Amino acid sequence: MTLSVGDKAPDFSLPGNGGTTLSLADFKGKNVVLYFYPKDDTPGCTTEAKDFTAMAGDFQAANTVVVGMSKDTAAKHDKFIAKHDLSVLLASDEEGVALEAYGVWVEKNMYGRKYMGIQRATFLIDAAGAIQEIWPKVKVKGHAEAVLEKARSL
């Protein structure tokens, strides 16, 4: 499935950090930054989560909630959050249902070996549930700032 700006964002209901269940519908009336990342506690993923955490107040001021998603378990997310003092919400999509719906479960190629994995991507969803911006194949450096700038314009 390929999503485009203007499409209704696919809903999900998944285990979240802290024993919660996270659903897109829970955030109705707020903008949502939904960012997909490969794995907890790896260099790029940690930097991205820390960058979003550092700007948490700015996102909140822009009526925006930040949710990260990977295939890691909710328990692993809790350890990741505690280790790095993160304030972002993290959803666990072990079955890959939301990853498929958002088109970020893709074939990757590393050193000639092909495998399925998560493409680092971010979706900015407005308060009505429509996708307003998509950042495919995210480069971490400066990404959180670019997302915040766009969120402020909604």
Side-chain angles (χ1 to χ4, degrees), residues 62 124 147-154:
L124 179 60
V147 175
L148 176 61
E149 186 178 319
K150 185 67 178 178
R152 284 178 169 153
S153 73
L154 296 184

Side-chain angles (χ1 to χ4, degrees), residues 17-99:
N17 59 288
T20 61
T21 298
L22 296 175
S23 169
L24 193 57
D26 294 341
F27 306 114
K28 199 168 184 80
K30 291 188 179 286
N31 304 316
V32 177
V33 171
L34 182 58
Y35 77 95
F36 295 91
Y37 65 98
K39 194 166 177 51
D40 287 348
D41 228 3
T42 55
C45 300
T46 301
T47 299
E48 188 173 24
K50 286 175 143 183
D51 288 352
F52 278 121
T53 292
M55 295 180 213
D58 295 317
F59 278 103
Q60 190 173 11
N63 191 37
T64 304
V65 176
V66 178
V67 179
M69 188 180 296
S70 74
K71 285 191 120 186
D72 291 305
T73 64
K76 191 154 188 277
H77 285 335
D78 287 338
K79 289 178 185 164
F80 182 46
I81 286 169
K83 180 177 180 180
H84 298 286
D85 196 25
L86 304 174
S87 66
V88 293
L89 299 171
L90 297 178
S92 171
D93 189 10
E94 289 182 80
E95 304 299 316
V97 176
L99 302 174

Side-chain angles (χ1 to χ4, degrees), residues 125-137:
I125 303 161
D126 70 17
I131 297 170
Q132 292 300 314
E133 188 73 48
I134 301 170
W135 290 267
K137 298 180 183 175

Side-chain angles (χ1 to χ4, degrees), residues 104-118:
V104 298
W105 186 247
V106 299
E107 184 176 82
K108 295 177 133 185
N109 189 343
M110 186 182 288
Y111 306 118
R113 185 178 71 88
K114 292 185 187 295
Y115 64 97
M116 294 301 290
I118 298 172

